Every structure is written in structure tokens, then in C-alpha cells.
Amino acid sequence: MTDGVVERSRPRDRILETARDMFHKHGIKGVGVDAITEAAGTNKMTLYRHFESKDELIVECLRANAAKAGAMWDAFEAEFPGDKLAQLHAWVGKAAAMLNTDGRGCDMANAAAELTEPDHPARLVIKELKEAQRERLVTLCRGAGIGQAELLADTLSLLFEGARVSVQTVGAEGPSTQFVRMAEGLIVSFRGTAAG
């Protein structure tokens, strides 16, 4: 029973999972600690026992998202061991699936848009994750024999980020429907450049 599982989970885990879900659905600034504790079936004293502040809770939520992203890259390697080109195609497929299943976009990008203070502790987590994602994509492109691996990785990243914004602004039936075709075309084009 799902409710039974939620009730038996540790308060810290319940708070973290509830906050991640609520931040994703409503935005960081749209959710207060009272709403989080109520939805998690706990109280503010328990929340502050596990997290010094809402900012620390935000940072931990983003770190949990980063761990989930890391697992995605590991899954590509496990499914296609040593085949970087197949892993790159798997990334395109996963990105497309994310576009089709989640109209809220990237939690990291959304957090960066909301947390405009340059010294907010979450900004470092966001920067580190985005840089790590870029490096993983560059590594796949390089391993797939792409001569301009960094340029392709940056182009694919920007295409994906743009497609996510397109889903948020005009819906899933807008230009984002062309994501796979564009991304695969870019890979073919860059591979042709490397061979030529």
C-alpha cells in the first residue's frame, strides 16, 4: 500500500521527497515549509531538525536530482557497454521521453530562474550539475568518434534546453516534436564532418 510505505519512511526522506515533488510542480518560491511539512505528514520542528533552512532543503533536493541524473548516465553505459554512439542515441531517446512526459522542464534550470541571488547556495549545485552533464555528453560525443565533440555536445544541450522551454510555453505539440529528428540529424552531420 503506497500510503503505508509513505507512513513508514523516515521523516527526512518524506520531507525531501515531498519537497522535490512540490518544488517541481509549483516552483521553489511557490511552496513554503508549512505546505511541505503538512504534505509530508510532519511538522516544522522535524523539518528544521533535518535541514537548517529552506535553502538547505532546496540544495538537498537539487543534489537528489543530480544523483538521479547520474544514474541515467550509468544506465546508458550498462545498456550499451563501451558503445558510446549507442549511448549517445540512448541520450537522445531519454531526452525525447522526458519532453513527452514532463511539461515542467528542468528542475535545475527552473531553480536557476527562481533563485536569482548569485550567492544562493543552490546556484553552485546547479552549476556543478550542468557542467557535469555537459562533460558526460562531451565524453559520449568524443567516444563516438565525433571530431568536434564539444561543439556537438553544446549544440545538443542547447537544443534540448530549448525544446524543454518550448514544451512549457507552447505545449508538447509545438516545435519540440522535432527534437529527435533534429538531434539525430546533428549527430549524422557531425559524424560526417569527422569522416570527411
Side-chain angles (χ1 to χ4, degrees):
M1 183 164 121
T2 304
D3 289 340
V5 171
V6 170
E7 290 302 316
R8 287 190 301 268
S9 65
R10 294 178 24 214
R12 183 183 194 285
D13 296 337
R14 268 197 335 265
I15 292 166
L16 190 58
E17 243 348 272
T18 300
R20 283 181 65 206
D21 182 59
M22 293 180 81
F23 291 157
H24 181 75
K25 289 178 181 172
H26 308 290
I28 290 170
K29 295 201 174 183
V31 178
V33 293
D34 289 328
I36 293 167
T37 56
E38 182 178 334
T42 187
N43 57 48
K44 286 194 329 187
M45 185 167 61
T46 302
L47 183 144
Y48 288 121
R49 186 178 315 127
H50 294 285
F51 307 96
E52 282 186 23
S53 64
K54 182 180 176 186
D55 286 346
E56 184 180 324
L57 177 59
I58 293 165
V59 165
E60 289 304 313
C61 287
L62 294 175
R63 284 189 178 134
N65 290 342
K68 187 176 174 184
M72 174 193 71
W73 294 102
D74 295 342
F76 296 154
E77 177 62 39
E79 188 172 356
F80 305 102
D83 188 344
K84 299 302 183 191
L85 183 59
Q87 292 174 38
L88 184 58
H89 291 298
W91 178 87
V92 171
K94 180 68 172 177
M98 289 165 55
L99 291 172
N100 293 323
T101 59
D102 183 13
R104 283 290 299 143
C106 174
D107 289 331
M108 297 292 176
N110 291 341
E114 284 191 71
L115 305 171
T116 58
E117 307 88 357
D119 60 340
H120 192 285
R123 297 209 49 100
L124 180 61
V125 174
I126 295 165
K127 182 176 188 274
E128 287 172 352
L129 174 75
K130 288 295 188 178
E131 288 174 347
Q133 296 267 11
R134 178 187 184 270
E135 193 51 44
R136 296 288 295 258
L137 199 50
V138 168
T139 299
L140 283 188
C141 292
R142 192 171 289 126
I146 308 293
Q148 296 181 20
E150 289 188 7
L151 182 58
L152 177 58
D154 289 344
T155 304
L156 290 171
S157 292
L158 291 172
L159 177 64
F160 181 47
E161 294 288 342
R164 285 181 132 175
V165 171
S166 177
V167 168
Q168 285 181 302
T169 56
V170 297
E173 299 305 315
S176 65
T177 60
Q178 300 297 319
F179 173 78
V180 171
R181 186 171 158 215
M182 291 177 186
E184 293 293 349
L186 285 165
I187 293 168
V188 168
S189 177
F190 273 79
R191 288 193 76 212
T193 302

